[in-house]
Amino acid sequence: MLGGYIPPSPGVYAHVVSDNISKTYRKADPGTVTQIEIESHNIAEKLNIGDRINRPAPKQAFVTIKDHKQNFQTNTKCRLINPTKPEMGCVSKAILDRINNTIRSRIRVNQWRNTSSVLKWFTNLDKKNNLTFLVFDIVDFYPSISEELLSKCLLWAKRYASISNTEHSAILYDHKGNTWEKRKTHTHTHTHPHTTSLTSPWALMTEQSRGL
């Protein structure tokens, strides 16, 4: 018990996990898993790392409570975590890191990767009393990144960084999942946090072009 909050029982927790999965995803066809694994192998072969990429071991999804939200005791919001991580994710992360570093240097946008960088930036600001911060919270950020949206971001990123067809495929593959698929878009998803490092500057630049 923490601050008057009583953790849910195992039965209630299982129900919460099921609700958080099924509200956005639906059960995928078993053959989808095989197809995704074949695609992973083909991409790995093109990158000459086929002998170093293993088949991912399936793991049970779980949720964490967003206890930083207001009234979380009575209106509990959760973050769905999928621990089944294909090894291709490490490959796509390395590719995205290179792409994002190039984009940041080209468009000169502030995109911090840790708390210390934010604090350093804030400390160096002049006349803080005259500055205003715009704060917004994106609901279900990871699940909302569809393959269509990610493809748009990659197309935009190609204006600033070199992305081969194989690298493009590797990033899109990393966005796919193993057992569940999105209900609305019918797009398999396995979004990693590093994917948002590309969608975030794309969204910022898009809004700036609209006069935000």
Side-chain angles (χ1 to χ4, degrees):
M1 183 172 179
L2 178 63
Y5 178 69
I6 302 176
S9 64
V12 173
Y13 174 78
H15 182 70
V16 170
V17 173
S18 178
D19 284 348
N20 275 269
I21 293 176
S22 59
K23 74 177 182 180
T24 307
Y25 306 96
R26 67 177 184 179
K27 199 72 173 178
D29 186 278
T32 301
V33 178
T34 302
Q35 184 60 39
I36 290 175
E37 290 175 349
I38 292 174
E39 184 179 350
S40 172
H41 176 75
N42 292 337
I43 295 173
E45 287 293 328
K46 291 180 181 179
L47 294 171
N48 297 319
I49 56 173
D51 58 335
R52 286 172 279 168
I53 299 295
N54 298 314
R55 179 180 180 181
K59 299 179 182 179
Q60 185 68 38
F62 62 93
V63 298
T64 57
I65 304 297
K66 295 183 178 181
D67 54 3
H68 62 286
K69 300 288 186 180
Q70 290 185 349
N71 302 319
F72 80 93
Q73 297 96 332
T74 56
N75 185 23
T76 305
K77 301 295 183 181
C78 299
R79 180 181 294 104
L80 180 64
I81 307 296
N82 182 0
T84 305
K85 306 296 185 184
E87 293 186 355
M88 188 59 70
C90 297
V91 178
S92 68
K93 182 181 184 303
I95 296 171
L96 279 171
D97 283 344
R98 174 185 61 79
I99 294 171
N100 290 326
N101 288 335
T102 302
I103 291 176
R104 279 192 289 267
S105 65
R106 293 285 301 278
I107 66 177
R108 300 183 183 278
V109 65
N110 287 329
Q111 187 179 27
W112 303 283
R113 305 177 68 179
N114 51 62
T115 302
S116 61
S117 297
V118 178
L119 294 176
K120 181 179 179 180
W121 166 80
F122 181 78
T123 301
N124 292 330
L125 287 176
D126 295 327
K127 300 180 180 179
K128 295 182 178 62
N129 292 335
N130 297 329
L131 301 178
T132 301
F133 285 93
L134 175 64
V135 180
F136 62 92
D137 184 16
I138 301 177
V139 179
D140 295 331
F141 195 6
Y142 295 167
S144 67
I145 302 176
S146 64
E147 185 172 339
E148 179 183 1
L149 175 59
L150 186 55
S151 295
K152 287 182 179 179
C153 293
L154 287 170
L155 183 62
W156 169 79
K158 288 180 179 179
R159 301 178 187 175
Y160 307 98
S162 174
I163 306 174
S164 69
N165 291 335
T166 302
E167 290 175 331
H168 187 115
S169 298
I171 294 171
L172 289 182
Y173 166 81
D174 186 38
H175 192 65
K176 295 183 178 181
N178 294 319
T179 307
W180 295 82
E181 60 184 3
K182 287 188 176 180
R183 289 183 176 277
K184 294 182 179 180
T185 62
H186 306 293
T187 299
H188 308 287
T189 181
H190 195 111
T191 309
H192 286 271
H194 56 257
T195 308
T196 62
S197 62
L198 178 62
T199 57
S200 297
W202 171 82
L204 177 62
M205 296 298 289
T206 300
E207 291 304 318
Q208 284 184 342
S209 67
R210 295 174 179 173
L212 177 63

